[in-house]
Amino acid sequence: MTAQRGRPRSFDRQAALERAALAFWEHGYETTSISDLTTALGIGAPSLYAAFGDKRQLFYEAVASYQATHGSFTARAMAEEPTARDAIVRILREAATEYTSPDHPRGCLVISAAQNCSPASADVAKALRDTRNKNLRLLEDRIRSDVDSGILPGDTDAHGLALFAAATTQGMSQQARDGAGREDLEAIAEAAVRALPQSSATACR
Amino acid sequence: MTAQRGRPRSFDRQAALERAALAFWEHGYETTSISDLTTALGIGAPSLYAAFGDKRQLFYEAVASYQATHGSFTARAMAEEPTARDAIVRILREAATEYTSPDHPRGCLVISAAQNCSPASADVAKALRDTRNKNLRLLEDRIRSDVDSGILPGDTDAHGLALFAAATTQGMSQQARDGAGREDLEAIAEAAVRALPQSSATACR
DNA sequence: TCCTTTCTCTAGCGATCACTACAGAAAGGA
DNA sequence: TCCTTTCTGTAGTGATCGCTAGAGAAAGGA
């Protein structure tokens, strides 16, 4: 095992990524300047470029850091809940808490950070859009699996239900950024849960 | 009535506003540059500044133009429908068509055009946020009125229901911008309608 | 001690940002 | 015809954008 050569880095790379994620989360990709980032990270521009390549690569790494921490609750719900319905309910309820936490910016970074992009950074917008649409397809497949195995009613529209869950989540992120609190988002989540099909045989309330 | 003095304007001011609205709708406030706008409007920068003041004022006028045309369907539903529930159902259904029209950018300008703003244009972000929150309060008041007059069940959470309708609409705008089609948005709308309380006495389906 | 390697700092690159000074062009009024 | 008024086109303002060349600093290896 070879020891690292040369002058050691003066900052914690992972901590810098987390600070970068907070900055992008708050203001978005294009509106967060390199100058903003060097201030937030407490390092000079050449250090930033040496460590992360360029602004785009730093953003992608910051998004990955976000997904591994604040944004991991959706993947956890998908992995741990026994049914698609349980996963949706848990995602909606945990989003209400996560999106309004006072410890970090409101809403979801993946949803909000690349909304307004110029053609020059269309690929960044596309990357987050692809992430959202991939999650949408994963949820749809999960719902379809439960329909096929009889856990959800046979007439359930898997595609439409996945779209509804995704749209509600994105609407909650938007509401959180517009000032809604945890109770507000919980009310949205519970209203959405009322629209979900029941688990086995459909029951009236 | 005095005739206008001086050299006449070489372009149609209202048509220019509509083109500006399309540009802001597509890319957002900060990411649409003056250079983009002079190209889209087919005029020089001095003409733009003489006619509209500055970028911010042009944006506000473009938003007003949007609200008077593409964005007017919500206010029309609120004014024309007899009940809050009818208004919500109509808004959701018309949004599915409006947000996915091939004649203009996807989604809603008021929702999407000032998502990623730097501190320098925080007032623009606040203006659109205030517009959204004002519409939210109007809907909540309308719901509360129907609850008070017995049209909606007495245990209806007016605030929560208004939040749910607003969040669903915003989620539909996001989905439209992510590539969802009219049928997709209609599925979201119908799912949301299932979560609404029934008109008079609650009935099972 | 001296070399190599890697990072950091100062300073500044060309491009683009929102915006405008200035002069000429196009209209009505006298 | 000439003046006033208003708009348009050229050309550019200082500021900021993302990014980097080059020199010095801080580590390990010989």
Side-chain angles (χ1 to χ4, degrees):
Chain A
M1 165 169 193
T2 55
Q4 59 175 359
R5 297 283 298 269
R7 177 173 174 174
R9 181 173 287 127
S10 66
F11 59 95
D12 183 326
R13 196 175 187 281
Q14 187 55 40
L17 278 177
E18 290 170 14
R19 291 188 188 186
L22 291 177
F24 285 127
W25 194 352
E26 177 88 37
H27 296 296
Y29 173 69
E30 283 198 301
T31 38
T32 302
S33 69
I34 296 292
S35 175
D36 293 334
L37 290 165
T38 57
T39 301
L41 275 53
I43 63 176
S47 298
L48 186 154
Y49 283 90
F52 302 108
D54 63 2
K55 187 184 178 183
R56 179 185 336 245
Q57 293 177 56
L58 169 57
F59 179 71
Y60 289 148
E61 284 206 57
V63 170
S65 167
Y66 169 86
Q67 289 177 308
T69 55
H70 304 98
S72 63
F73 70 96
T74 54
R76 252 200 323 277
M78 291 285 283
E80 295 174 1
E81 293 301 318
T83 72
R85 190 185 196 282
D86 290 329
I88 293 172
V89 170
R90 175 166 158 188
I91 286 170
L92 292 172
R93 288 177 177 162
E94 292 193 1
T97 302
E98 180 60 36
Y99 289 175
T100 56
S101 166
D103 299 334
H104 51 67
R106 301 297 195 91
C108 170
L109 186 153
V110 174
I111 293 171
S112 64
Q115 286 296 326
N116 303 135
C117 276
S118 65
S121 53
D123 54 339
V124 171
K126 182 178 185 302
L128 289 200
R129 186 165 56 241
D130 288 348
T131 298
R132 292 190 293 268
N133 283 332
K134 198 185 82 178
N135 291 336
L136 179 65
R137 281 195 300 275
L138 287 175
L139 182 56
E140 180 178 337
D141 292 344
R142 185 72 186 275
I143 294 169
R144 187 166 287 119
S145 166
D146 278 11
V147 173
D148 291 344
S149 57
I151 297 174
L152 283 171
D155 64 346
T156 301
D157 173 13
H159 182 61
L161 190 56
L163 281 165
F164 175 68
T168 302
T169 307
Q170 291 162 357
M172 286 171 67
S173 172
Q174 177 65 55
Q175 283 297 325
R177 291 182 77 84
D178 277 0
R182 186 171 59 85
E183 293 84 358
D184 295 326
L185 263 56
E186 283 170 349
I188 298 172
E190 296 312 314
V193 167
R194 285 198 297 272
L196 302 180
Q198 290 297 325
S199 279
S200 48
T202 54
C204 175
R205 188 123 180 33
Chain B
M1 167 169 191
T2 55
Q4 58 177 359
R5 297 284 298 270
R7 178 174 175 174
R9 181 173 288 127
S10 66
F11 59 94
D12 182 324
R13 196 175 188 281
Q14 187 56 39
L17 278 177
E18 290 170 16
R19 291 187 187 186
L22 291 176
F24 285 127
W25 194 352
E26 178 87 38
H27 296 296
Y29 173 69
E30 283 198 301
T31 39
T32 301
S33 69
I34 296 291
S35 174
D36 293 335
L37 290 165
T38 57
T39 301
L41 275 53
I43 62 176
S47 298
L48 186 154
Y49 281 90
F52 302 109
D54 63 3
K55 186 184 178 182
R56 177 184 337 243
Q57 293 177 57
L58 170 57
F59 179 72
Y60 289 147
E61 284 206 57
V63 170
S65 166
Y66 169 86
Q67 289 176 309
T69 56
H70 304 98
S72 63
F73 69 95
T74 54
R76 252 202 322 278
M78 291 285 283
E80 295 174 1
E81 293 300 318
T83 72
R85 190 185 196 282
D86 291 329
I88 293 172
V89 171
R90 175 166 158 188
I91 286 170
L92 291 173
R93 288 177 178 162
E94 292 193 0
T97 302
E98 179 61 35
Y99 289 175
T100 57
S101 166
D103 299 333
H104 51 68
R106 302 298 195 88
C108 170
L109 186 153
V110 174
I111 293 171
S112 65
Q115 285 297 326
N116 303 135
C117 276
S118 64
S121 51
D123 54 340
V124 171
K126 182 178 185 301
L128 288 201
R129 187 165 55 242
D130 288 348
T131 298
R132 292 189 294 268
N133 283 332
K134 199 185 83 178
N135 291 335
L136 179 64
R137 281 195 301 273
L138 287 175
L139 182 57
E140 180 179 337
D141 292 344
R142 185 72 186 276
I143 295 168
R144 188 166 287 119
S145 166
D146 279 11
V147 173
D148 291 345
S149 55
I151 297 174
L152 283 170
D155 64 346
T156 301
D157 173 14
H159 182 61
L161 190 55
L163 280 166
F164 175 68
T168 303
T169 307
Q170 290 162 357
M172 287 171 66
S173 172
Q174 176 66 55
Q175 282 298 323
R177 291 181 77 84
D178 277 0
R182 186 170 58 85
E183 293 83 357
D184 294 326
L185 263 56
E186 283 170 349
I188 298 172
E190 296 312 314
V193 167
R194 285 198 296 272
L196 302 181
Q198 290 297 325
S199 280
S200 48
T202 54
C204 176
R205 194 148 179 16

